[in-house]
Each structure stands twice: as C-alpha cells, then as structure tokens.
Amino acid sequence: MIRFKSVNKYYGDFHVLKDINLVINKGEVVVVIGPSGSGKSTMLRCINRLETISDGELTVNGVKVNDKNTNINELRRNIGMVFQHFNLYPHKTVLENITLAPTMVLKQSKEEAEKIAMYYLEKVGIPDKANSYPSQLSGGQQQRVAIARGLAMKPEIMLFDEPTSALDPEMIGEVLDVMKALAKEGMTMVVVTHEMGFAKEVADRIIFMDQGRILEEGKPADFYANPKEERARVFLSRILNH
Amino acid sequence: MIDFSILIDHFDTYLEGFKNTILASIIGLIGSFIIGVIIAVMRIAPIKPFNWIGTAYVEFIRNIPLLIIAFFFYVGLPAVGIQLNGFVAGTIALAIYTASFIAEAIRAGILSVPKGQMEAARSSGLTYLQAMKAVILPQAIKIVIPPIGNQFINLVKNSSILGIIAGLDLMYFGDIVSSHTFVTFDVYIFVGLFYLVLTIPLSYGVRYLERRLARSY
C-alpha cells in the first residue's frame, strides 16, 4: 500500500533520509522508533507529501506521491494525519473541526457530515464536547478530536506523528486506547512514537531508525527481546531503564 | 473667535464634500482590503512568480507618494486616452496605495498563524486556497485588525488628496468656501472637524472589533 524505493532526502547538504526501502501493507500497523533527529517524522511526512523527497520513488496505492501529474489533494483525502501538537483549528468548534474537510473536499451536506462527525466523536468517547472550542478541552481530548477529524474522511491510511509526546502522562492512556481500537479494526497505521507498550501490544512491525537510515525492522516481540543492531540495543536500554 | 456663520452659510457645500469623502472612503476601504488580501496571499503563496508580483507591488506602491499615484490616474491616463474624473482617479489611487500597507499587515498576520494549521488543513485534502479561506485567514484577521484599522483611518484622512485633483471631496469644497469668503483658518477648522466625525467613530469601531474578536475563542 505504501512503498518506499531507495528514497533519499536532503535539506541542503544535510542528508535526512538515506536509502529508505520500506513496504507497508494494507491493514498493517507499523511503529517507527528511533532517537530524535533520526528522520522518522520526516519519513512519515513524506507519505502525504508534507515533505518532498529528493530522489527514489514513493508510492501510495500505486500512485507516485511526488509525480507532477499526481493530484495531491485527492491522494491526501485517503491519508489521515494526526500531529504531535494536535493542530485543531482554534476558531472552530469540535464539530466544525471534524466536518470542515468532509464538506469542503468530499462535498458532503452539513447534516450528513455532522452525523458522521458525531459517530466518530462517540467512538473516541467525547460526543458531549461537540460544541466546545479546542481551547476548552484537555490535551488528551484535543488529540482524540484530531483522530476523529482524520477518521471522518474515511481514509485507508492513518499517520500518527508522535501523537502522545505533547500530552500529560495521565492523558496518554486515553489516546492510546483509541489508537489500539483503531488498529484492531484493521486500519493501516504508521505511528511514530516512543510508547513501547503500545508498540508491543498492537504493532505488526517495528522500524528502528537512526541518522536517516532504517537500521532494523522486525516483529515487536523479537525486536524488544533481541535487537540485532548495537545502536538499537543502546537506544532500547536508555528508554526502557529510565 | 471662530466664525460659525461660515459653517452655517456654506453648510450645503460642506455637506456635498462630506458625502463624497464618505463615498471615496467606503469604496477605497473595500477596494484596498480586497486588493490587499490578494497581494498578501500572492506574496506568501508557494508559487514564485506570484511572490515576485506581490513583492513588486508592495515595494513600488508604498514607496511613492499617494499624490503621485493620484496624478498618474488623473493626468497620466488621459495621455493614453483614458479619461477619469478627479473623484474616480483619486479613489482608485487611494485604494491602490492603501492596499500595499494592508497587504503587509495581512501578510504578517498570516505568517503568525502556526504552520501546523496549514499542514492539518492540507493533509485533510483541502487545496491551498481552501485552507487559506477556511483556516488561515479567519485566524489571521484577529491579529490583523489593529494595524488594518490604522490603515483605514489613514485612508479616510488621505482621501483629502482628492481636493487637489478636483475630486469634489471635503477638501475641495473647503478650498471653494475659502476662496469665496477669503477666510482660511476658520474654513479649514470646520473641514478638520468633519474628518473627525468620520475618524473617531472608526477608531472606536476598530477597538470594539478588537475586543470582540479577542473574546471569540
């Protein structure tokens, strides 16, 4: 479904992504971990072209993401994204946040979009907040709204860019629960995170990145029990023993 | 003492100028805002030629005197066969000139909206213009209200250049009253008061909007 073929990316002289080869299949939950600055967020953001690639080939559902003839807006409808800082629209209510893209992009009627929005708000557990503004919600609630906003477009793929990193510890659980439920329903998910518990429980595959390279990939159980790369071993020991 | 009989005797003349000043201000206000938004979006759109046009507009227009722009429309265009009366020429000049300042204010407002807002909107499939319209501009407006309010007040005052190109505004009729009565000081005091009647409510209106928008979310 998502295929990186020898993808490289440079910021000027800085080589951010080095020869990335990766295939993510439909229904797979892939967790990307690695130290900060390793390129994991950049790689994720290439998938919906928030970042462009310098060379190589990146396809989603067979469509070349960086091709000039690709209608990027059409491609993005199919890829939901959840950000570290939620990025809810502060001037719109929760309901308006969720219905904006369905009405503007998919041309759904307001009633239809609101019905769908309420369905997903129920799903993330905060239907009572429909008419609140983002500033009136806790971080965990905001992130759940952001997930509902992504889902309302009925995408086939959901990207999560450190979705719990900006949250208070006690709010991380509520967001992870929503993500776990989503994973179990068979959503294709690519998740950049440091939440090892989440990775162990729902990931089909762990990708370990360092300095722009994919150093290791494997099933979570194998990876955690017995990382092959020295760099991965050091990284794991640091984040697990603090 | 100020001679109020001048105001009373020539009230209709003043009023005629006052009406035209209001008209020029309203048209200038709307025109400069629309042009300003377009130029601001051009300056920051991810399309290089648009950036160049936008930058050229701002740097060129805001760095020449308003009066020169007004002269261009009033005495320059007839040279190529386009005849505009003073009112039309002056109002166009006013809109074009003020737009360059408004564009800069709006650009600053747009750039102050966090980058993640555009990313969130674009990643949900909105086009650049849809994201601008629905997500970025409504947030930028709040930041931009005070500087734009200042520009609108300036616009009302700057409309007095119409007087120089026979634009039938307050200033123009002030000159006429003055040349009829041979009084200068008192005549222009009243002209000034008429401008205050416009600018002080505008000033308060801007402050009111500012407070209301600050509370809106």
Side-chain angles (χ1 to χ4, degrees):
Chain A
M1 189 160 227
I2 304 169
R3 181 185 297 266
F4 287 78
K5 217 194 261 168
S6 316
V7 168
N8 283 282
K9 177 174 177 62
Y10 299 85
Y11 284 125
D13 285 339
F14 183 51
H15 201 167
V16 206
L17 295 180
K18 296 172 185 157
D19 192 34
I20 302 291
N21 286 288
L22 178 64
V23 177
I24 296 166
N25 297 310
K26 193 169 169 56
E28 220 182 347
V29 177
V30 174
V31 167
V32 185
I33 63 169
S36 60
S38 60
K40 46 195 198 309
S41 283
T42 307
M43 182 177 84
L44 187 80
R45 289 160 58 89
C46 284
I47 296 171
N48 66 352
R49 211 167 91 186
L50 285 182
E51 304 281 351
T52 55
I53 60 174
S54 304
D55 60 61
E57 194 177 275
L58 169 57
T59 57
V60 173
N61 278 338
V63 178
K64 288 183 192 153
V65 175
N66 287 274
D67 195 88
K68 269 208 170 70
N69 299 318
T70 298
N71 181 341
I72 189 66
N73 299 317
E74 213 164 280
L75 190 72
R76 280 171 175 161
R77 283 177 207 176
N78 208 15
I79 308 173
M81 181 140 187
V82 174
F83 299 87
Q84 180 177 359
H85 297 287
F86 332 133
N87 297 353
L88 294 179
Y89 313 131
H91 60 301
K92 292 188 178 293
T93 63
V94 163
L95 201 61
E96 288 166 345
N97 262 276
I98 302 173
T99 55
L100 180 75
T103 49
M104 283 189 97
V105 178
L106 303 179
K107 310 289 178 209
Q108 286 173 7
S109 69
K110 192 163 170 260
E111 295 73 38
E112 192 188 354
E114 282 179 356
K115 221 177 82 197
I116 296 169
M118 285 313 296
Y119 169 79
Y120 285 109
L121 274 180
E122 303 263 0
K123 203 162 170 170
V124 299
I126 37 175
D128 50 318
K129 298 292 182 188
N131 294 311
S132 303
Y133 282 93
S135 59
Q136 297 164 322
L137 306 184
S138 71
Q141 291 170 331
Q142 289 192 46
Q143 194 61 299
R144 284 187 280 159
V145 171
I147 294 172
R149 178 174 71 175
L151 292 174
M153 292 293 285
K154 306 217 166 101
E156 287 183 78
I157 301 167
M158 283 291 282
L159 308 177
F160 295 84
D161 189 2
E162 304 205 25
T164 56
S165 300
L167 295 176
D168 287 342
E170 55 188 313
M171 293 172 180
I172 292 176
E174 61 192 61
V175 172
L176 290 181
D177 287 343
V178 169
M179 291 170 63
K180 283 176 197 165
L182 200 57
K184 282 172 186 149
E185 284 171 23
M187 174 66 80
T188 309
M189 292 165 67
V190 188
V191 186
V192 173
T193 187
H194 296 297
E195 296 299 329
M196 295 304 149
F198 172 81
K200 273 184 190 155
E201 191 178 333
V202 296
D204 296 308
R205 205 161 16 131
I206 303 265
I207 309 275
F208 178 74
M209 287 184 75
D210 188 36
Q211 296 185 352
R213 244 179 249 289
I214 294 180
L215 284 191
E216 187 165 348
E217 55 181 301
K219 295 224 171 294
D222 301 341
F223 177 76
Y224 285 116
N226 188 17
K228 290 192 274 297
E229 291 285 332
E230 177 58 26
R231 187 69 188 87
R233 217 168 288 151
V234 173
F235 177 76
L236 281 181
S237 73
R238 278 196 195 133
I239 59 167
L240 295 177
N241 305 324
H242 65 89
Chain B
M1 268 315 288
I2 294 171
D3 182 0
F4 279 92
S5 68
I6 290 177
L7 178 63
I8 294 158
D9 292 348
H10 298 89
F11 194 71
D12 290 347
T13 316
Y14 274 117
L15 213 56
E16 181 65 22
F18 189 53
K19 259 174 22 200
N20 286 330
T21 289
I22 293 175
L23 196 60
S25 296
I26 291 173
I27 298 170
L29 216 123
I30 296 167
S32 64
F33 186 72
I34 294 171
I35 302 171
V37 170
I38 295 171
I39 296 295
V41 171
M42 280 178 102
R43 282 204 71 175
I44 54 169
I47 302 167
K48 277 268 149 42
F50 280 4
N51 300 163
W52 298 331
I53 297 170
T55 307
Y57 182 97
V58 169
E59 291 308 337
F60 186 69
I61 298 292
R62 78 168 171 181
N63 289 318
I64 45 181
L66 169 58
L67 193 54
I68 304 288
I69 302 173
F71 275 164
F72 170 80
F73 285 101
Y74 189 57
V75 295
L77 286 186
V80 293
I82 301 168
Q83 206 79 41
L84 299 175
N85 65 38
F87 179 80
V88 173
T91 306
I92 293 176
L94 211 51
I96 285 179
Y97 177 76
T98 312
S100 67
F101 294 92
I102 289 180
E104 279 304 271
I106 292 178
R107 188 179 72 107
I110 292 172
L111 291 180
S112 70
V113 176
K115 232 179 82 199
Q117 293 289 309
M118 181 55 103
E119 289 183 350
R122 291 305 307 274
S123 63
S124 65
L126 268 68
T127 65
Y128 180 80
L129 283 181
Q130 284 175 327
M132 258 302 160
K133 204 176 117 232
V135 175
I136 307 296
L137 287 178
Q139 295 183 60
I141 278 297
K142 193 168 119 169
I143 302 155
V144 151
I145 286 281
I148 285 195
N150 286 335
Q151 289 309 324
F152 282 164
I153 291 166
N154 279 338
L155 181 142
V156 173
K157 295 184 294 174
N158 286 340
S159 71
S160 59
I161 57 109
L162 264 72
I164 298 171
I165 54 172
L168 310 180
D169 70 323
L170 256 177
M171 202 64 191
Y172 175 82
F173 282 112
D175 290 341
I176 286 185
V177 174
S178 169
S179 62
H180 275 278
T181 56
F182 303 108
V183 178
T184 46
F185 186 73
D186 301 28
V187 167
Y188 290 110
I189 289 278
F190 296 127
V191 169
L193 288 176
F194 272 107
Y195 279 109
L196 280 179
V197 168
L198 287 180
T199 48
I200 286 180
L202 192 56
S203 200
Y204 274 91
V206 168
R207 210 169 305 163
Y208 169 76
L209 263 184
E210 211 177 301
R211 271 202 307 266
R212 242 195 63 175
L213 284 170
R215 279 202 311 261
S216 65
Y217 55 85

